[in-house]
Amino acid sequence: SLASTAITCFTRGLDLRKGTEDVLCPANCPLWQFYVFGDGVYASLSSVCGAAIHSGVITNTGGAVRVQTLPGQESYPAVNANGIQSQVLSRWASSFSVTAGTKNTALEAVGRSVSTARPSTGKRPKKTLDKKAGNKDCKADIAFLIDGSYNIGQRRFNLQKNFVGKVAVMLGIGTEGPHVGVVQASEHPKIEFYLKNFTAAKEVLFAIKELGFRGGNSNTGKALKYTAQKFFSLENGARKGIPKIIVVFLDGWPSDDLEEAGIVAREFGVNVFIVSVAKPTTEELGMVQDIGFVDKAVCRNNGFFSYHMPTWFGTTKYVKPLVQKLCSHEQMLCSKTCYNSVNIGFLIDGSSSVGESNFRLVLEFVSNVAKAFEISDIGSKVAAVQFTYDQRTEFGFTDHTSKEKVLSAIRSIRYMSGGTATGDAISFTTRNVFGPVKDGPNKNFLVVLTDGQSYDDVRGPAAAAQKAGITVFSVGVAWAPLDDLKDMASEPRESHTFFTREFTGLEQMVPDIIRGICKDYLDSKQ
């Protein structure tokens, strides 16, 4: 009989060349890493070994499988079987089925292929791993909303697919890079594939090539609203803290209204770009409901979010500038909320009057405020300084870029015990902690926590901090004099000054501090 080919856990149906092929699956493939689409008949994007385990032909100990190529299907169902959850996929160009194979050369082949089964052993050359990770500097979850209307027609639709494919490749799609999906706008919107379906440029390119032209009116407004509401759910693969982007391609003009869709997208925190191609002709303009449709749909009418190409021909030179825009996360104004766009520095009194057990309550308060924010390398950041007569930076803004790490760093702060020089501590923090981030995109906040009278002047240092663009909240406990607290706080002082007799009262203040930070953030954006 035929000699079997040893394959890896990740070999897909479309990687096999023959109509019928005998293959050998390795043992111990990580089940959760399998991508499988369908049940019994699997889309050719599926992992062969994953499909074989899913259908019960083999177990996770590996073995021989016969793969039969089949024509494409209209849809592939999601079914949970043998520890693998297969996924839904609509319309794919080719499929395969799996049956038990012949075991002639099974042993030596399985022996050979176990080393390829686990890509995480670190034995692989570094290069392939990086390619899988993609361009880590480009933080984006992108829906390409392509024009599938009669306006564009089949021929230009194909040119549009080529352009979207080139953009997808240049973005550097990967597990840690950008993720993309495609929605086709025509009479009714159709999600062609989601963010979670592919994490490699090759697969995305293949999926774009397979897209069929739908035709119909260009109900772009309807499609934009639908995409903003439905596409970016966590179960469809949207990632927390990564900017959501819709790139709308428009050939000519939309048949419906875009204004409402633009409002919905902004409410959902989605950044809308419009790529317009071939402006409407004079007679077409009479049919356009609203000539200013681009300005009303984009995230901000500042020129950054609209992009024009004169025709679908010779578009290669337009690829790179568009990709550069899509990868500049600091420009994604519609993703910015107070939760992901602030730096919060905590200045913590470690003087001897606080005491060890109350110091724990202070740290709990700091944790509970920090917990409310989306902390990441492109999101909000937190820093902490403890002071007595001396100051100690516990951690700076760039030391920890995830919420887990920040919370664990707060937990491990050790109580210093000593005197109280709050003014010096504010100057130290302004210079050393806020200095390095003062030109960054985030808005800066300082929360000063103290339980007593400062030995030095607080008014001068606090005014200097505010002049440097830092909004100061003062939180006093026990013997902290109200005058000091007010002197440190930003205007309006009433809403930036907090006081409680007991350390246990700090807990009730947490929501007020968070609300105060968000209110100031929003006011600064007006």
Side-chain angles (χ1 to χ4, degrees):
S1 72
L2 295 167
S4 307
T5 319
I7 60 173
T8 75
C9 305
F10 303 100
T11 306
R12 300 163 306 176
L14 57 90
D15 298 325
L16 302 177
R17 292 283 161 255
K18 305 185 192 124
T20 305
E21 194 150 350
D22 283 302
V23 297
L24 279 166
C25 286
N28 306 320
C29 287
L31 291 187
W32 55 274
Q33 284 188 351
F34 279 133
Y35 272 99
V36 177
F37 303 89
D39 181 37
V41 174
Y42 300 95
S44 59
L45 278 173
S46 309
S47 151
V48 172
C49 300
I53 295 173
H54 184 267
S55 62
V57 170
I58 57 170
T59 64
N60 207 18
T61 55
V65 177
R66 173 163 285 191
V67 185
Q68 178 72 48
T69 306
L70 299 169
Q73 304 272 334
E74 271 304 303
S75 69
Y76 299 85
V79 174
N80 199 328
N82 300 317
I84 294 179
Q85 171 67 57
S86 76
Q87 301 184 47
V88 175
L89 188 65
S90 59
R91 273 224 315 282
W92 198 253
S94 62
S95 318
F96 65 86
S97 64
V98 282
T99 50
T102 46
K103 301 212 168 23
N104 58 346
T105 50
L107 280 170
E108 45 136 15
V110 170
R112 260 210 327 271
S113 65
V114 166
S115 61
T116 56
R118 302 200 188 98
S120 57
T121 53
K123 287 212 178 64
R124 279 184 156 198
K126 189 84 182 90
K127 199 128 179 68
T128 54
L129 277 176
D130 284 348
K131 195 165 184 298
K132 272 186 71 174
N135 176 9
K136 294 182 195 164
D137 296 332
C138 184
K139 310 278 188 200
D141 280 343
I142 304 171
F144 291 113
L145 181 52
I146 61 173
D147 189 339
S149 69
Y150 291 136
N151 274 0
I152 191 170
Q154 178 77 58
R155 179 167 174 235
R156 297 205 302 266
F157 181 77
N158 287 339
L159 293 170
Q160 172 182 232
K161 289 202 308 191
N162 292 347
F163 180 74
V164 173
K166 283 178 188 162
V167 171
V169 170
M170 191 170 250
L171 278 167
I173 294 163
T175 49
E176 296 172 55
H179 291 179
V180 307
V182 170
V183 182
Q184 186 172 169
S186 54
E187 196 67 45
H188 305 291
K190 173 162 191 282
I191 296 180
E192 300 283 3
F193 59 90
Y194 286 104
L195 294 166
K196 67 173 181 195
N197 292 137
F198 314 111
T199 53
K202 263 219 318 261
E203 298 169 350
V204 168
L205 258 185
F206 187 76
I208 290 170
K209 273 209 180 75
E210 295 296 309
L211 295 175
F213 173 57
R214 294 172 67 78
N217 278 323
S218 58
N219 289 331
T220 311
K222 183 177 176 181
L224 178 54
K225 188 172 164 185
Y226 179 81
T227 307
Q229 290 169 327
K230 301 273 192 290
F231 183 85
F232 294 101
S233 65
L234 292 174
E235 57 271 21
N236 290 334
R239 295 167 292 175
K240 273 206 165 81
I242 301 284
K244 306 178 184 56
I245 299 172
I246 300 176
V247 183
V248 180
F249 289 94
L250 249 179
D251 185 300
W253 81 102
S255 316
D256 61 352
D257 183 39
L258 284 169
E259 186 169 9
E260 191 204 344
I263 293 167
V264 169
R266 289 189 286 274
E267 280 171 359
F268 274 83
V270 175
N271 300 275
V272 176
F273 282 78
I274 292 206
V275 178
S276 54
V277 185
K279 287 218 164 71
T281 61
T282 342
E283 53 271 23
E284 283 170 357
L285 272 176
M287 303 162 71
V288 179
Q289 289 191 16
D290 181 355
I291 290 178
F293 65 83
V294 170
D295 293 345
K296 303 219 166 107
V298 288
C299 162
R300 290 279 191 286
N301 185 9
N302 60 1
F304 181 75
F305 294 94
S306 45
Y307 197 68
H308 182 71
M309 302 193 298
T311 114
W312 286 112
F313 295 97
T315 52
T316 308
K317 61 175 176 294
Y318 293 100
V319 173
K320 195 173 176 190
L322 180 58
V323 167
Q324 281 167 337
K325 282 184 183 234
L326 299 180
C327 290
S328 12
H329 57 79
E330 62 288 343
Q331 305 273 357
M332 298 300 162
L333 300 177
C334 288
S335 305
K336 293 197 183 295
T337 65
C338 87
Y339 298 106
N340 64 20
S341 306
V342 295
N343 297 324
I344 308 171
F346 291 95
L347 186 51
I348 304 165
D349 185 340
S351 60
S352 28
S353 51
V354 175
E356 184 72 57
S357 64
N358 285 334
F359 189 73
R360 292 288 126 208
L361 291 173
V362 171
L363 293 185
E364 212 161 285
F365 166 83
V366 171
S367 288
N368 288 334
V369 173
K371 216 179 263 168
F373 293 86
E374 293 167 31
I375 300 163
S376 77
D377 53 346
I378 62 165
S380 289
K381 296 180 176 60
V382 171
V385 173
Q386 187 179 173
F387 71 100
T388 53
Y389 278 141
D390 275 330
Q391 305 84 29
R392 181 169 80 201
T393 302
E394 302 290 354
F395 56 92
F397 286 123
T398 51
D399 291 342
H400 303 297
T401 52
S402 77
K403 193 178 295 191
E404 291 65 43
K405 286 183 180 146
V406 163
L407 294 176
S408 111
I410 293 169
R411 276 196 299 274
S412 50
I413 292 175
R414 297 278 151 263
Y415 173 48
M416 281 164 76
S417 185
T420 314
T422 316
D424 269 359
I426 293 173
S427 300
F428 172 88
T429 307
T430 303
R431 189 173 59 247
N432 296 321
V433 177
F434 285 96
V437 296
K438 72 170 187 301
D439 299 325
N442 289 2
K443 185 161 170 52
N444 292 315
F445 292 89
L446 175 63
V447 179
V448 182
L449 289 130
T450 179
D451 83 325
Q453 173 90 49
S454 175
Y455 295 116
D456 60 2
D457 166 59
V458 294
R459 186 177 291 174
Q466 291 168 31
K467 210 175 153 187
I470 302 165
T471 303
V472 182
F473 284 88
S474 57
V475 179
V477 190
W479 306 106
L482 204 56
D483 287 348
D484 271 13
L485 295 174
K486 284 206 166 130
D487 281 345
M488 292 188 284
S490 287
E491 299 281 353
R493 299 216 156 125
E494 292 60 57
S495 60
H496 290 82
T497 308
F498 293 84
F499 178 78
T500 169
R501 274 264 157 259
E502 306 291 332
F503 280 89
T504 47
L506 283 170
E507 201 184 337
Q508 279 92 62
M509 290 181 187
V510 169
D512 296 329
I513 297 276
I514 295 164
R515 259 201 302 274
I517 289 173
C518 283
K519 184 181 183 320
D520 287 346
Y521 171 80
L522 286 170
D523 291 347
S524 75
K525 293 289 162 229
Q526 292 308 318

